[in-house]
Amino acid sequence: MIVVEEILTEIFEQLPSIDGFKPIYKWGNEFHLQQQLELYSKAKTSPYPLIYQTSNLSKQQTFKNECEAKLKLVLACQNTNVSLTNEERWAMSYRNILYPLLANIEKCFTGAGCVVWNGDYYMQEFPNYGNGKDNFTLDVWDAIVIDVKIIITDGCVRQIIFKKKTKI
């Protein structure tokens, strides 16, 4: 059996820092996310940029030794300035953090050697997301949610070479 979260952890550990911050990969439900955010808050550390896997539907193929996984990944950075214009929010959160992170995740899928991916995914942007009342996070986020289907094989995770800076 292939455990999707273990493989993704190994792959995403290779992600480079973005604006001086190393992306963090976690998974679970809304309750677990709140627990994680509270732990980071108590430790006075930042979990951002965050890659949070909220769901995983996997089809284990025992005889092929592979796993088809349908993933929902939330890419988030904290931005507490709710009065930013769309142009300012784009420059601060999306252009500088979230889209480079997304490009690096694409590179992870194509460069890990144990992931088969056709390059397709669904994406939705969530600017100014969060307040604890209308959704499941207490922090205010700028976020991108992607739905992607990949196949994970039983091969070893290769070293991934990232460009110095991804331009958007």
Side-chain angles (χ1 to χ4, degrees):
M1 182 170 91
I2 294 173
V3 180
V4 173
E5 292 79 7
E6 288 178 2
I7 302 297
L8 290 180
T9 296
E10 189 175 348
I11 291 170
F12 290 154
E13 282 176 352
Q14 297 186 56
L15 284 165
S17 294
I18 296 177
D19 276 358
F21 296 95
K22 179 84 171 143
I24 294 174
Y25 167 69
K26 298 288 183 183
W27 67 89
N29 59 19
E30 297 169 10
F31 178 73
H32 179 262
L33 173 61
Q34 290 305 333
Q35 284 181 317
Q36 290 292 310
L37 293 176
E38 288 173 14
L39 289 172
Y40 280 101
S41 179
K42 287 178 185 175
K44 296 186 183 345
T45 59
S46 174
Y48 302 106
L50 176 65
I51 305 164
Y52 198 81
Q53 179 184 320
T54 61
S55 66
N56 165 26
L57 174 64
S58 65
K59 176 182 174 185
Q60 298 288 334
Q61 298 179 5
T62 304
F63 298 117
K64 286 185 176 181
N65 232 1
E66 64 184 33
C67 170
E68 180 181 298
K70 293 180 181 178
L71 305 172
K72 182 179 290 287
L73 300 175
V74 179
L75 316 181
C77 64
Q78 188 174 26
N79 194 335
T80 56
N81 189 347
V82 295
S83 64
L84 291 176
T85 65
N86 286 340
E87 293 80 8
E88 292 168 327
R89 188 168 299 287
W90 169 259
M92 289 179 67
S93 296
Y94 288 91
R95 184 176 56 216
N96 292 333
I97 299 169
L98 295 173
Y99 282 118
L101 177 58
L102 180 55
N104 286 339
I105 289 171
E106 291 173 356
K107 181 68 176 170
C108 285
F109 289 161
T110 59
C114 62
V115 175
V116 178
W117 174 53
N118 69 3
D120 292 345
Y121 56 89
Y122 290 95
M123 177 182 81
Q124 187 171 5
E125 297 170 338
F126 289 95
N128 222 5
Y129 183 78
N131 63 10
K133 296 175 190 166
D134 301 327
N135 47 57
F136 62 88
T137 178
L138 297 177
D139 288 347
V140 177
W141 287 353
D142 285 334
I144 295 173
V145 176
I146 64 168
D147 290 291
V148 61
K149 182 168 65 172
I150 60 174
I151 296 172
I152 300 174
T153 64
D154 69 344
C156 294
V157 175
R158 290 192 307 217
Q159 181 180 1
I160 303 166
I161 307 299
F162 294 92
K163 294 179 182 176
K164 294 266 186 213
K165 178 145 178 150
T166 305
K167 297 269 184 187
I168 301 295

